[in-house]
mmCIF file with all atom_site columns, all heavy atoms in Angstrom:
data_model
loop_
_atom_site.group_PDB
_atom_site.id
_atom_site.type_symbol
_atom_site.label_atom_id
_atom_site.label_alt_id
_atom_site.label_comp_id
_atom_site.label_asym_id
_atom_site.label_entity_id
_atom_site.label_seq_id
_atom_site.pdbx_PDB_ins_code
_atom_site.Cartn_x
_atom_site.Cartn_y
_atom_site.Cartn_z
_atom_site.occupancy
_atom_site.B_iso_or_equiv
_atom_site.pdbx_formal_charge
_atom_site.auth_seq_id
_atom_site.auth_comp_id
_atom_site.auth_asym_id
_atom_site.auth_atom_id
_atom_site.pdbx_PDB_model_num
ATOM 1  N N   . TYR D 1 288 ? 15.439 -10.061 3.736  1.00 0.00 ? 290 TYR D N   1
ATOM 2  C CA  . TYR D 1 288 ? 14.560 -9.059  3.102  1.00 0.00 ? 290 TYR D CA  1
ATOM 3  C C   . TYR D 1 288 ? 15.153 -7.636  3.516  1.00 0.00 ? 290 TYR D C   1
ATOM 4  O O   . TYR D 1 288 ? 15.460 -7.350  4.590  1.00 0.00 ? 290 TYR D O   1
ATOM 5  C CB  . TYR D 1 288 ? 13.183 -9.209  3.719  1.00 0.00 ? 290 TYR D CB  1
ATOM 6  C CG  . TYR D 1 288 ? 12.523 -10.549 3.617  1.00 0.00 ? 290 TYR D CG  1
ATOM 7  C CD1 . TYR D 1 288 ? 11.689 -11.094 4.543  1.00 0.00 ? 290 TYR D CD1 1
ATOM 8  C CD2 . TYR D 1 288 ? 12.808 -11.366 2.425  1.00 0.00 ? 290 TYR D CD2 1
ATOM 9  C CE1 . TYR D 1 288 ? 11.091 -12.287 4.388  1.00 0.00 ? 290 TYR D CE1 1
ATOM 10 C CE2 . TYR D 1 288 ? 12.157 -12.617 2.287  1.00 0.00 ? 290 TYR D CE2 1
ATOM 11 C CZ  . TYR D 1 288 ? 11.322 -13.089 3.268  1.00 0.00 ? 290 TYR D CZ  1
ATOM 12 O OH  . TYR D 1 288 ? 10.764 -14.289 3.097  1.00 0.00 ? 290 TYR D OH  1
ATOM 13 N N   . SER D 1 289 ? 15.199 -6.824  2.445  1.00 0.00 ? 291 SER D N   1
ATOM 14 C CA  . SER D 1 289 ? 15.613 -5.447  2.617  1.00 0.00 ? 291 SER D CA  1
ATOM 15 C C   . SER D 1 289 ? 14.465 -4.546  2.865  1.00 0.00 ? 291 SER D C   1
ATOM 16 O O   . SER D 1 289 ? 13.376 -4.830  2.367  1.00 0.00 ? 291 SER D O   1
ATOM 17 C CB  . SER D 1 289 ? 16.352 -4.977  1.380  1.00 0.00 ? 291 SER D CB  1
ATOM 18 O OG  . SER D 1 289 ? 17.492 -5.735  1.145  1.00 0.00 ? 291 SER D OG  1
ATOM 19 N N   . GLU D 1 290 ? 14.660 -3.409  3.599  1.00 0.00 ? 292 GLU D N   1
ATOM 20 C CA  . GLU D 1 290 ? 13.568 -2.438  3.777  1.00 0.00 ? 292 GLU D CA  1
ATOM 21 C C   . GLU D 1 290 ? 13.675 -1.356  2.697  1.00 0.00 ? 292 GLU D C   1
ATOM 22 O O   . GLU D 1 290 ? 14.788 -0.971  2.287  1.00 0.00 ? 292 GLU D O   1
ATOM 23 C CB  . GLU D 1 290 ? 13.695 -1.862  5.165  1.00 0.00 ? 292 GLU D CB  1
ATOM 24 C CG  . GLU D 1 290 ? 13.442 -2.851  6.280  1.00 0.00 ? 292 GLU D CG  1
ATOM 25 C CD  . GLU D 1 290 ? 13.280 -2.280  7.698  1.00 0.00 ? 292 GLU D CD  1
ATOM 26 O OE1 . GLU D 1 290 ? 13.849 -1.142  7.883  1.00 0.00 ? 292 GLU D OE1 1
ATOM 27 O OE2 . GLU D 1 290 ? 12.815 -2.982  8.593  1.00 0.00 ? 292 GLU D OE2 1
ATOM 28 N N   . LEU D 1 291 ? 12.508 -0.865  2.317  1.00 0.00 ? 293 LEU D N   1
ATOM 29 C CA  . LEU D 1 291 ? 12.436 0.154   1.268  1.00 0.00 ? 293 LEU D CA  1
ATOM 30 C C   . LEU D 1 291 ? 13.262 1.380   1.743  1.00 0.00 ? 293 LEU D C   1
ATOM 31 O O   . LEU D 1 291 ? 14.008 2.050   0.970  1.00 0.00 ? 293 LEU D O   1
ATOM 32 C CB  . LEU D 1 291 ? 11.023 0.579   0.997  1.00 0.00 ? 293 LEU D CB  1
ATOM 33 C CG  . LEU D 1 291 ? 10.784 1.463   -0.170 1.00 0.00 ? 293 LEU D CG  1
ATOM 34 C CD1 . LEU D 1 291 ? 11.334 0.897   -1.425 1.00 0.00 ? 293 LEU D CD1 1
ATOM 35 C CD2 . LEU D 1 291 ? 9.185  1.613   -0.370 1.00 0.00 ? 293 LEU D CD2 1
ATOM 36 N N   . GLY D 1 292 ? 13.129 1.728   3.039  1.00 0.00 ? 294 GLY D N   1
ATOM 37 C CA  . GLY D 1 292 ? 13.856 2.855   3.501  1.00 0.00 ? 294 GLY D CA  1
ATOM 38 C C   . GLY D 1 292 ? 15.398 2.681   3.453  1.00 0.00 ? 294 GLY D C   1
ATOM 39 O O   . GLY D 1 292 ? 16.114 3.678   3.199  1.00 0.00 ? 294 GLY D O   1
ATOM 40 N N   . GLU D 1 293 ? 15.840 1.465   3.584  1.00 0.00 ? 295 GLU D N   1
ATOM 41 C CA  . GLU D 1 293 ? 17.282 1.181   3.409  1.00 0.00 ? 295 GLU D CA  1
ATOM 42 C C   . GLU D 1 293 ? 17.749 1.340   1.934  1.00 0.00 ? 295 GLU D C   1
ATOM 43 O O   . GLU D 1 293 ? 18.824 1.805   1.685  1.00 0.00 ? 295 GLU D O   1
ATOM 44 C CB  . GLU D 1 293 ? 17.630 -0.257  3.901  1.00 0.00 ? 295 GLU D CB  1
ATOM 45 C CG  . GLU D 1 293 ? 17.342 -0.443  5.378  1.00 0.00 ? 295 GLU D CG  1
ATOM 46 C CD  . GLU D 1 293 ? 17.459 -1.913  5.849  1.00 0.00 ? 295 GLU D CD  1
ATOM 47 O OE1 . GLU D 1 293 ? 17.268 -2.778  4.921  1.00 0.00 ? 295 GLU D OE1 1
ATOM 48 O OE2 . GLU D 1 293 ? 17.624 -2.146  6.984  1.00 0.00 ? 295 GLU D OE2 1
ATOM 49 N N   . VAL D 1 294 ? 16.873 0.943   1.060  1.00 0.00 ? 296 VAL D N   1
ATOM 50 C CA  . VAL D 1 294 ? 17.196 1.141   -0.399 1.00 0.00 ? 296 VAL D CA  1
ATOM 51 C C   . VAL D 1 294 ? 17.225 2.627   -0.735 1.00 0.00 ? 296 VAL D C   1
ATOM 52 O O   . VAL D 1 294 ? 18.208 3.100   -1.396 1.00 0.00 ? 296 VAL D O   1
ATOM 53 C CB  . VAL D 1 294 ? 16.169 0.412   -1.320 1.00 0.00 ? 296 VAL D CB  1
ATOM 54 C CG1 . VAL D 1 294 ? 16.365 0.734   -2.745 1.00 0.00 ? 296 VAL D CG1 1
ATOM 55 C CG2 . VAL D 1 294 ? 16.144 -1.056  -0.962 1.00 0.00 ? 296 VAL D CG2 1
ATOM 56 N N   . ILE D 1 295 ? 16.232 3.371   -0.264 1.00 0.00 ? 297 ILE D N   1
ATOM 57 C CA  . ILE D 1 295 ? 16.186 4.794   -0.511 1.00 0.00 ? 297 ILE D CA  1
ATOM 58 C C   . ILE D 1 295 ? 17.484 5.469   0.082  1.00 0.00 ? 297 ILE D C   1
ATOM 59 O O   . ILE D 1 295 ? 18.078 6.386   -0.546 1.00 0.00 ? 297 ILE D O   1
ATOM 60 C CB  . ILE D 1 295 ? 14.935 5.427   0.043  1.00 0.00 ? 297 ILE D CB  1
ATOM 61 C CG1 . ILE D 1 295 ? 13.683 4.823   -0.586 1.00 0.00 ? 297 ILE D CG1 1
ATOM 62 C CG2 . ILE D 1 295 ? 14.995 6.952   -0.012 1.00 0.00 ? 297 ILE D CG2 1
ATOM 63 C CD1 . ILE D 1 295 ? 12.405 5.174   0.102  1.00 0.00 ? 297 ILE D CD1 1
ATOM 64 N N   . ASP D 1 296 ? 17.842 5.048   1.269  1.00 0.00 ? 298 ASP D N   1
ATOM 65 C CA  . ASP D 1 296 ? 18.986 5.628   2.020  1.00 0.00 ? 298 ASP D CA  1
ATOM 66 C C   . ASP D 1 296 ? 20.327 5.176   1.452  1.00 0.00 ? 298 ASP D C   1
ATOM 67 O O   . ASP D 1 296 ? 21.387 5.594   1.975  1.00 0.00 ? 298 ASP D O   1
ATOM 68 C CB  . ASP D 1 296 ? 18.794 5.266   3.472  1.00 0.00 ? 298 ASP D CB  1
ATOM 69 C CG  . ASP D 1 296 ? 19.397 6.313   4.399  1.00 0.00 ? 298 ASP D CG  1
ATOM 70 O OD1 . ASP D 1 296 ? 19.716 7.456   3.955  1.00 0.00 ? 298 ASP D OD1 1
ATOM 71 O OD2 . ASP D 1 296 ? 19.603 5.945   5.541  1.00 0.00 ? 298 ASP D OD2 1
ATOM 72 N N   . GLY D 1 297 ? 20.357 4.199   0.551  1.00 0.00 ? 299 GLY D N   1
ATOM 73 C CA  . GLY D 1 297 ? 21.635 3.662   0.042  1.00 0.00 ? 299 GLY D CA  1
ATOM 74 C C   . GLY D 1 297 ? 22.277 2.658   0.949  1.00 0.00 ? 299 GLY D C   1
ATOM 75 O O   . GLY D 1 297 ? 23.421 2.242   0.587  1.00 0.00 ? 299 GLY D O   1
ATOM 76 N N   . ARG D 1 298 ? 21.617 2.216   1.956  1.00 0.00 ? 300 ARG D N   1
ATOM 77 C CA  . ARG D 1 298 ? 22.161 1.183   2.814  1.00 0.00 ? 300 ARG D CA  1
ATOM 78 C C   . ARG D 1 298 ? 21.897 -0.243  2.397  1.00 0.00 ? 300 ARG D C   1
ATOM 79 O O   . ARG D 1 298 ? 22.448 -1.223  2.894  1.00 0.00 ? 300 ARG D O   1
ATOM 80 C CB  . ARG D 1 298 ? 21.716 1.376   4.232  1.00 0.00 ? 300 ARG D CB  1
ATOM 81 C CG  . ARG D 1 298 ? 22.264 2.698   4.854  1.00 0.00 ? 300 ARG D CG  1
ATOM 82 C CD  . ARG D 1 298 ? 21.798 2.848   6.373  1.00 0.00 ? 300 ARG D CD  1
ATOM 83 N NE  . ARG D 1 298 ? 20.413 3.099   6.406  1.00 0.00 ? 300 ARG D NE  1
ATOM 84 C CZ  . ARG D 1 298 ? 19.607 2.534   7.313  1.00 0.00 ? 300 ARG D CZ  1
ATOM 85 N NH1 . ARG D 1 298 ? 20.017 1.585   8.135  1.00 0.00 ? 300 ARG D NH1 1
ATOM 86 N NH2 . ARG D 1 298 ? 18.304 2.865   7.379  1.00 0.00 ? 300 ARG D NH2 1
ATOM 87 N N   . ALA D 1 299 ? 21.021 -0.385  1.411  1.00 0.00 ? 301 ALA D N   1
ATOM 88 C CA  . ALA D 1 299 ? 20.743 -1.709  0.766  1.00 0.00 ? 301 ALA D CA  1
ATOM 89 C C   . ALA D 1 299 ? 20.639 -1.566  -0.685 1.00 0.00 ? 301 ALA D C   1
ATOM 90 O O   . ALA D 1 299 ? 20.232 -0.418  -1.178 1.00 0.00 ? 301 ALA D O   1
ATOM 91 C CB  . ALA D 1 299 ? 19.356 -2.342  1.430  1.00 0.00 ? 301 ALA D CB  1
#
Side-chain angles (χ1 to χ4, degrees):
Y290 304 145
S291 299
E292 292 186 346
L293 188 55
E295 295 170 341
V296 176
I297 297 167
D298 209 18
R300 291 182 291 135

